[in-house]
mmCIF file of all heavy atoms in Angstrom:
data_model
loop_
_atom_site.group_PDB
_atom_site.id
_atom_site.type_symbol
_atom_site.label_atom_id
_atom_site.label_comp_id
_atom_site.label_asym_id
_atom_site.label_seq_id
_atom_site.Cartn_x
_atom_site.Cartn_y
_atom_site.Cartn_z
ATOM 1 N N MET A 1 4.725 1.807 17.151
ATOM 2 C CA MET A 1 4.648 1.258 15.788
ATOM 3 C C MET A 1 4.100 2.335 14.853
ATOM 4 O O MET A 1 3.136 3.005 15.160
ATOM 5 C CB MET A 1 3.728 0.032 15.782
ATOM 6 C CG MET A 1 3.883 -0.796 14.538
ATOM 7 S SD MET A 1 2.926 -2.311 14.679
ATOM 8 C CE MET A 1 4.209 -3.514 14.820
ATOM 9 N N THR A 5 3.284 0.777 9.323
ATOM 10 C CA THR A 5 3.488 -0.624 9.724
ATOM 11 C C THR A 5 2.174 -1.221 10.210
ATOM 12 O O THR A 5 1.861 -2.370 9.909
ATOM 13 C CB THR A 5 4.533 -0.688 10.858
ATOM 14 O OG1 THR A 5 5.555 0.253 10.580
ATOM 15 C CG2 THR A 5 5.130 -2.074 10.977
ATOM 16 N N SER A 12 -2.093 -7.572 6.089
ATOM 17 C CA SER A 12 -1.636 -8.961 6.000
ATOM 18 C C SER A 12 -2.552 -9.877 6.798
ATOM 19 O O SER A 12 -2.796 -11.008 6.401
ATOM 20 C CB SER A 12 -0.187 -9.081 6.474
ATOM 21 O OG SER A 12 -0.100 -8.860 7.853
ATOM 22 N N GLU A 16 -4.330 -13.019 5.144
ATOM 23 C CA GLU A 16 -4.078 -14.358 5.645
ATOM 24 C C GLU A 16 -5.358 -15.151 5.852
ATOM 25 O O GLU A 16 -5.333 -16.366 5.961
ATOM 26 C CB GLU A 16 -3.306 -14.279 6.973
ATOM 27 C CG GLU A 16 -1.817 -14.059 6.781
ATOM 28 C CD GLU A 16 -1.144 -13.496 8.034
ATOM 29 O OE1 GLU A 16 -1.789 -13.454 9.091
ATOM 30 O OE2 GLU A 16 0.026 -13.091 7.920
ATOM 31 N N ARG A 315 -2.922 -15.214 22.167
ATOM 32 C CA ARG A 315 -1.499 -15.457 22.418
ATOM 33 C C ARG A 315 -0.617 -14.499 21.644
ATOM 34 O O ARG A 315 0.403 -14.015 22.145
ATOM 35 C CB ARG A 315 -1.143 -16.903 22.082
ATOM 36 C CG ARG A 315 -1.293 -17.790 23.297
ATOM 37 C CD ARG A 315 -1.233 -19.228 22.957
ATOM 38 N NE ARG A 315 0.029 -19.601 22.323
ATOM 39 C CZ ARG A 315 0.495 -20.845 22.305
ATOM 40 N NH1 ARG A 315 -0.162 -21.809 22.909
ATOM 41 N NH2 ARG A 315 1.611 -21.117 21.698
ATOM 42 N N GLU A 316 -1.044 -14.223 20.414
ATOM 43 C CA GLU A 316 -0.286 -13.249 19.617
ATOM 44 C C GLU A 316 -0.266 -11.891 20.315
ATOM 45 O O GLU A 316 0.759 -11.213 20.356
ATOM 46 C CB GLU A 316 -0.897 -13.118 18.219
ATOM 47 C CG GLU A 316 -0.204 -12.082 17.365
ATOM 48 C CD GLU A 316 -0.934 -11.774 16.064
ATOM 49 O OE1 GLU A 316 -1.602 -12.686 15.533
ATOM 50 O OE2 GLU A 316 -0.820 -10.622 15.598
ATOM 51 N N LEU A 319 2.028 -12.019 23.228
ATOM 52 C CA LEU A 319 3.411 -11.978 22.753
ATOM 53 C C LEU A 319 3.821 -10.561 22.352
ATOM 54 O O LEU A 319 4.883 -10.074 22.744
ATOM 55 C CB LEU A 319 3.565 -12.906 21.539
ATOM 56 C CG LEU A 319 4.919 -12.791 20.864
ATOM 57 C CD1 LEU A 319 5.988 -13.482 21.690
ATOM 58 C CD2 LEU A 319 4.878 -13.346 19.442
ATOM 59 N N ARG A 320 2.938 -9.914 21.596
ATOM 60 C CA ARG A 320 3.261 -8.560 21.154
ATOM 61 C C ARG A 320 3.453 -7.633 22.355
ATOM 62 O O ARG A 320 4.339 -6.785 22.353
ATOM 63 C CB ARG A 320 2.150 -8.017 20.241
ATOM 64 C CG ARG A 320 2.167 -8.651 18.855
ATOM 65 C CD ARG A 320 1.070 -8.120 17.967
ATOM 66 N NE ARG A 320 1.054 -8.784 16.675
ATOM 67 C CZ ARG A 320 1.862 -8.490 15.655
ATOM 68 N NH1 ARG A 320 2.732 -7.507 15.784
ATOM 69 N NH2 ARG A 320 1.803 -9.155 14.524
ATOM 70 N N MET A 321 2.626 -7.842 23.379
ATOM 71 C CA MET A 321 2.777 -7.021 24.576
ATOM 72 C C MET A 321 4.119 -7.312 25.254
ATOM 73 O O MET A 321 4.810 -6.402 25.709
ATOM 74 C CB MET A 321 1.626 -7.278 25.539
ATOM 75 C CG MET A 321 0.333 -6.629 25.077
ATOM 76 S SD MET A 321 -1.045 -7.089 26.144
ATOM 77 C CE MET A 321 -2.205 -5.784 25.753
ATOM 78 N N ALA A 322 4.476 -8.596 25.325
ATOM 79 C CA ALA A 322 5.755 -8.953 25.940
ATOM 80 C C ALA A 322 6.922 -8.362 25.159
ATOM 81 O O ALA A 322 7.962 -8.014 25.713
ATOM 82 C CB ALA A 322 5.891 -10.481 26.006
ATOM 83 N N MET A 323 6.732 -8.239 23.844
ATOM 84 C CA MET A 323 7.792 -7.689 22.995
ATOM 85 C C MET A 323 7.840 -6.167 23.063
ATOM 86 O O MET A 323 8.648 -5.541 22.382
ATOM 87 C CB MET A 323 7.569 -8.110 21.530
ATOM 88 C CG MET A 323 7.682 -9.583 21.274
ATOM 89 S SD MET A 323 9.357 -10.163 21.503
ATOM 90 C CE MET A 323 9.080 -11.543 22.570
ATOM 91 N N GLY A 324 6.927 -5.576 23.820
ATOM 92 C CA GLY A 324 6.988 -4.135 24.011
ATOM 93 C C GLY A 324 5.873 -3.354 23.343
ATOM 94 O O GLY A 324 5.921 -2.143 23.284
ATOM 95 N N ALA A 325 4.842 -4.070 22.827
ATOM 96 C CA ALA A 325 3.714 -3.344 22.246
ATOM 97 C C ALA A 325 2.940 -2.647 23.352
ATOM 98 O O ALA A 325 2.701 -3.237 24.404
ATOM 99 C CB ALA A 325 2.793 -4.305 21.500
ATOM 100 N N GLN A 326 2.589 -1.396 23.139
ATOM 101 C CA GLN A 326 1.779 -0.691 24.126
ATOM 102 C C GLN A 326 0.307 -0.955 23.844
ATOM 103 O O GLN A 326 -0.049 -1.397 22.761
ATOM 104 C CB GLN A 326 2.092 0.801 24.053
ATOM 105 C CG GLN A 326 3.538 1.061 24.396
ATOM 106 C CD GLN A 326 3.910 2.515 24.344
ATOM 107 O OE1 GLN A 326 3.073 3.362 24.076
ATOM 108 N NE2 GLN A 326 5.175 2.787 24.595
ATOM 109 N N ASP A 329 -0.790 0.439 20.717
ATOM 110 C CA ASP A 329 -0.364 -0.305 19.522
ATOM 111 C C ASP A 329 -1.368 -1.402 19.190
ATOM 112 O O ASP A 329 -1.764 -1.585 18.034
ATOM 113 C CB ASP A 329 1.014 -0.954 19.745
ATOM 114 C CG ASP A 329 2.139 0.073 19.770
ATOM 115 O OD1 ASP A 329 2.042 1.047 19.015
ATOM 116 O OD2 ASP A 329 3.089 -0.116 20.551
ATOM 117 N N PRO A 402 -1.147 -9.533 29.638
ATOM 118 C CA PRO A 402 -0.179 -10.267 28.815
ATOM 119 C C PRO A 402 0.159 -11.652 29.369
ATOM 120 O O PRO A 402 0.345 -12.587 28.592
ATOM 121 C CB PRO A 402 1.049 -9.357 28.778
ATOM 122 C CG PRO A 402 0.822 -8.327 29.829
ATOM 123 C CD PRO A 402 -0.643 -8.212 30.019
ATOM 124 N N ILE A 403 0.225 -11.774 30.690
ATOM 125 C CA ILE A 403 0.594 -13.075 31.267
ATOM 126 C C ILE A 403 -0.459 -14.123 30.933
ATOM 127 O O ILE A 403 -0.145 -15.217 30.456
ATOM 128 C CB ILE A 403 0.754 -12.955 32.798
ATOM 129 C CG1 ILE A 403 1.855 -11.952 33.126
ATOM 130 C CG2 ILE A 403 1.076 -14.319 33.403
ATOM 131 C CD1 ILE A 403 1.884 -11.560 34.586
ATOM 132 N N LEU A 406 -0.583 -14.908 27.163
ATOM 133 C CA LEU A 406 0.479 -15.814 26.688
ATOM 134 C C LEU A 406 0.171 -17.265 27.023
ATOM 135 O O LEU A 406 0.611 -18.172 26.328
ATOM 136 C CB LEU A 406 1.815 -15.409 27.321
ATOM 137 C CG LEU A 406 2.560 -14.287 26.612
ATOM 138 C CD1 LEU A 406 3.666 -13.742 27.491
ATOM 139 C CD2 LEU A 406 3.093 -14.745 25.278
ATOM 140 N N ASN B 53 7.858 -13.182 35.635
ATOM 141 C CA ASN B 53 6.925 -12.182 35.095
ATOM 142 C C ASN B 53 7.261 -10.790 35.616
ATOM 143 O O ASN B 53 7.141 -9.796 34.909
ATOM 144 C CB ASN B 53 5.491 -12.536 35.462
ATOM 145 C CG ASN B 53 4.981 -13.724 34.670
ATOM 146 O OD1 ASN B 53 5.490 -13.991 33.576
ATOM 147 N ND2 ASN B 53 4.012 -14.444 35.206
ATOM 148 N N LEU B 58 6.022 -7.777 33.296
ATOM 149 C CA LEU B 58 4.655 -8.156 32.917
ATOM 150 C C LEU B 58 3.725 -8.137 34.127
ATOM 151 O O LEU B 58 2.518 -8.169 33.990
ATOM 152 C CB LEU B 58 4.654 -9.565 32.305
ATOM 153 C CG LEU B 58 5.347 -9.703 30.942
ATOM 154 C CD1 LEU B 58 5.511 -11.172 30.573
ATOM 155 C CD2 LEU B 58 4.571 -8.975 29.856
ATOM 156 N N LYS B 79 2.679 2.296 30.009
ATOM 157 C CA LYS B 79 3.379 2.710 28.798
ATOM 158 C C LYS B 79 4.883 2.565 28.968
ATOM 159 O O LYS B 79 5.586 2.056 28.115
ATOM 160 C CB LYS B 79 3.013 4.172 28.535
ATOM 161 C CG LYS B 79 3.092 4.577 27.088
ATOM 162 C CD LYS B 79 2.502 5.968 26.942
ATOM 163 C CE LYS B 79 2.681 6.459 25.515
ATOM 164 N NZ LYS B 79 2.069 7.758 25.291
ATOM 165 N N ALA B 82 5.936 -1.037 28.993
ATOM 166 C CA ALA B 82 5.997 -1.588 27.642
ATOM 167 C C ALA B 82 7.316 -1.226 26.994
ATOM 168 O O ALA B 82 7.972 -2.040 26.356
ATOM 169 C CB ALA B 82 4.829 -1.069 26.803
ATOM 170 N N ARG B 83 7.748 0.014 27.198
ATOM 171 C CA ARG B 83 9.032 0.451 26.629
ATOM 172 C C ARG B 83 10.195 -0.290 27.273
ATOM 173 O O ARG B 83 11.172 -0.647 26.611
ATOM 174 C CB ARG B 83 9.212 1.952 26.850
ATOM 175 C CG ARG B 83 8.346 2.739 25.926
ATOM 176 C CD ARG B 83 8.885 4.128 25.765
ATOM 177 N NE ARG B 83 8.036 4.855 24.827
ATOM 178 C CZ ARG B 83 8.255 6.100 24.464
ATOM 179 N NH1 ARG B 83 9.275 6.766 24.955
ATOM 180 N NH2 ARG B 83 7.460 6.671 23.606
ATOM 181 N N ARG B 85 10.066 -3.316 28.584
ATOM 182 C CA ARG B 85 10.100 -4.675 28.045
ATOM 183 C C ARG B 85 10.754 -4.695 26.681
ATOM 184 O O ARG B 85 11.534 -5.580 26.344
ATOM 185 C CB ARG B 85 8.662 -5.207 27.894
ATOM 186 C CG ARG B 85 7.983 -5.578 29.184
ATOM 187 C CD ARG B 85 6.797 -6.466 28.924
ATOM 188 N NE ARG B 85 5.696 -5.795 28.228
ATOM 189 C CZ ARG B 85 4.724 -5.137 28.859
ATOM 190 N NH1 ARG B 85 4.716 -5.068 30.180
ATOM 191 N NH2 ARG B 85 3.764 -4.558 28.185
ATOM 192 N N ASN B 86 10.430 -3.692 25.902
ATOM 193 C CA ASN B 86 10.921 -3.649 24.540
ATOM 194 C C ASN B 86 12.433 -3.463 24.485
ATOM 195 O O ASN B 86 13.122 -4.095 23.695
ATOM 196 C CB ASN B 86 10.219 -2.520 23.774
ATOM 197 C CG ASN B 86 10.666 -2.452 22.335
ATOM 198 O OD1 ASN B 86 11.471 -1.599 21.983
ATOM 199 N ND2 ASN B 86 10.167 -3.368 21.526
ATOM 200 N N PHE B 91 12.483 -11.974 25.742
ATOM 201 C CA PHE B 91 11.775 -13.142 26.257
ATOM 202 C C PHE B 91 11.994 -14.360 25.360
ATOM 203 O O PHE B 91 11.944 -14.266 24.141
ATOM 204 C CB PHE B 91 10.271 -12.884 26.305
ATOM 205 C CG PHE B 91 9.834 -11.984 27.422
ATOM 206 C CD1 PHE B 91 9.612 -10.640 27.211
ATOM 207 C CD2 PHE B 91 9.621 -12.514 28.686
ATOM 208 C CE1 PHE B 91 9.198 -9.822 28.242
ATOM 209 C CE2 PHE B 91 9.191 -11.698 29.723
ATOM 210 C CZ PHE B 91 8.977 -10.341 29.499
ATOM 211 N N GLN B 97 6.110 -19.322 20.903
ATOM 212 C CA GLN B 97 5.259 -18.151 20.639
ATOM 213 C C GLN B 97 5.675 -17.407 19.381
ATOM 214 O O GLN B 97 5.796 -16.186 19.361
ATOM 215 C CB GLN B 97 5.282 -17.168 21.837
ATOM 216 C CG GLN B 97 4.965 -17.794 23.174
ATOM 217 C CD GLN B 97 3.481 -17.995 23.403
ATOM 218 O OE1 GLN B 97 2.699 -17.972 22.470
ATOM 219 N NE2 GLN B 97 3.100 -18.236 24.641
ATOM 220 N N LEU B 99 4.768 -16.276 15.496
ATOM 221 C CA LEU B 99 3.563 -16.027 14.704
ATOM 222 C C LEU B 99 3.588 -16.989 13.519
ATOM 223 O O LEU B 99 4.487 -16.921 12.683
ATOM 224 C CB LEU B 99 3.523 -14.573 14.227
ATOM 225 C CG LEU B 99 3.524 -13.545 15.361
ATOM 226 C CD1 LEU B 99 3.548 -12.123 14.808
ATOM 227 C CD2 LEU B 99 2.320 -13.740 16.262
ATOM 228 N N LYS B 101 2.086 -17.483 10.713
ATOM 229 C CA LYS B 101 1.960 -17.136 9.284
ATOM 230 C C LYS B 101 3.064 -16.205 8.810
ATOM 231 O O LYS B 101 3.081 -15.812 7.647
ATOM 232 C CB LYS B 101 0.599 -16.523 9.029
ATOM 233 C CG LYS B 101 -0.522 -17.467 9.448
ATOM 234 C CD LYS B 101 -1.768 -17.294 8.661
ATOM 235 C CE LYS B 101 -2.738 -18.422 8.977
ATOM 236 N NZ LYS B 101 -3.989 -18.323 8.272
ATOM 237 N N LYS B 102 3.955 -15.838 9.733
ATOM 238 C CA LYS B 102 5.019 -14.905 9.345
ATOM 239 C C LYS B 102 6.337 -15.669 9.184
ATOM 240 O O LYS B 102 6.559 -16.686 9.848
ATOM 241 C CB LYS B 102 5.203 -13.826 10.428
ATOM 242 C CG LYS B 102 3.918 -13.145 10.852
ATOM 243 C CD LYS B 102 3.485 -12.095 9.878
ATOM 244 C CE LYS B 102 2.307 -11.311 10.437
ATOM 245 N NZ LYS B 102 1.485 -10.718 9.387
ATOM 246 N N LEU B 110 10.007 -8.510 15.239
ATOM 247 C CA LEU B 110 8.891 -8.028 16.068
ATOM 248 C C LEU B 110 9.282 -6.980 17.122
ATOM 249 O O LEU B 110 8.674 -5.908 17.182
ATOM 250 C CB LEU B 110 8.180 -9.220 16.699
ATOM 251 C CG LEU B 110 6.746 -9.000 17.150
ATOM 252 C CD1 LEU B 110 5.890 -8.513 15.992
ATOM 253 C CD2 LEU B 110 6.171 -10.301 17.693
ATOM 254 N N GLN B 113 9.961 -3.624 15.664
ATOM 255 C CA GLN B 113 8.814 -2.901 15.115
ATOM 256 C C GLN B 113 8.144 -2.033 16.178
ATOM 257 O O GLN B 113 7.488 -1.050 15.863
ATOM 258 C CB GLN B 113 7.779 -3.892 14.549
ATOM 259 C CG GLN B 113 8.185 -4.432 13.198
ATOM 260 C CD GLN B 113 7.300 -5.570 12.753
ATOM 261 O OE1 GLN B 113 6.194 -5.739 13.261
ATOM 262 N NE2 GLN B 113 7.782 -6.356 11.815
ATOM 263 N N TYR B 114 8.295 -2.453 17.442
ATOM 264 C CA TYR B 114 7.671 -1.684 18.510
ATOM 265 C C TYR B 114 8.623 -0.680 19.156
ATOM 266 O O TYR B 114 8.266 -0.014 20.102
ATOM 267 C CB TYR B 114 7.088 -2.627 19.569
ATOM 268 C CG TYR B 114 5.867 -3.356 19.066
ATOM 269 C CD1 TYR B 114 5.912 -4.706 18.758
ATOM 270 C CD2 TYR B 114 4.680 -2.671 18.879
ATOM 271 C CE1 TYR B 114 4.789 -5.365 18.275
ATOM 272 C CE2 TYR B 114 3.551 -3.314 18.401
ATOM 273 C CZ TYR B 114 3.600 -4.662 18.105
ATOM 274 O OH TYR B 114 2.498 -5.298 17.619
ATOM 275 N N ARG B 116 10.643 2.659 19.725
ATOM 276 C CA ARG B 116 10.463 4.069 19.384
ATOM 277 C C ARG B 116 11.715 4.827 19.756
ATOM 278 O O ARG B 116 12.150 4.718 20.888
ATOM 279 C CB ARG B 116 9.246 4.645 20.130
ATOM 280 C CG ARG B 116 7.965 4.031 19.640
ATOM 281 C CD ARG B 116 6.801 4.500 20.443
ATOM 282 N NE ARG B 116 5.667 3.597 20.192
ATOM 283 C CZ ARG B 116 4.409 3.893 20.461
ATOM 284 N NH1 ARG B 116 4.107 5.035 20.999
ATOM 285 N NH2 ARG B 116 3.450 3.046 20.224
ATOM 286 N N LYS B 118 11.570 4.348 15.602
ATOM 287 C CA LYS B 118 11.759 3.154 14.782
ATOM 288 C C LYS B 118 13.185 3.118 14.231
ATOM 289 O O LYS B 118 13.626 4.077 13.601
ATOM 290 C CB LYS B 118 10.752 3.187 13.634
ATOM 291 C CG LYS B 118 10.689 1.869 12.888
ATOM 292 C CD LYS B 118 9.675 1.962 11.754
ATOM 293 C CE LYS B 118 9.714 0.677 10.947
ATOM 294 N NZ LYS B 118 8.746 0.701 9.861
ATOM 295 N N ARG B 158 14.797 -13.658 18.058
ATOM 296 C CA ARG B 158 13.838 -12.578 18.262
ATOM 297 C C ARG B 158 14.141 -11.839 19.568
ATOM 298 O O ARG B 158 14.119 -10.606 19.622
ATOM 299 C CB ARG B 158 12.415 -13.137 18.295
ATOM 300 C CG ARG B 158 11.342 -12.093 18.538
ATOM 301 C CD ARG B 158 9.968 -12.711 18.564
ATOM 302 N NE ARG B 158 9.840 -13.689 19.646
ATOM 303 C CZ ARG B 158 8.857 -14.563 19.761
ATOM 304 N NH1 ARG B 158 7.908 -14.601 18.838
ATOM 305 N NH2 ARG B 158 8.807 -15.407 20.770
#
Side-chain angles (χ1 to χ4, degrees):
Chain A
M1 195 174 250
T5 320
S12 69
E16 279 160 10
R315 269 168 60 159
E316 177 189 329
L319 172 75
R320 286 180 183 279
M321 285 174 160
M323 295 293 130
Q326 298 180 2
D329 288 324
I403 300 168
L406 276 166
Chain B
N53 287 336
L58 292 169
K79 207 171 175 177
R83 285 201 178 181
R85 286 198 292 271
N86 182 258
F91 285 97
Q97 307 280 17
L99 300 177
K101 302 209 170 179
K102 310 280 188 205
L110 202 56
Q113 282 170 19
Y114 289 107
R116 293 175 196 198
K118 191 180 175 179
R158 178 180 62 193

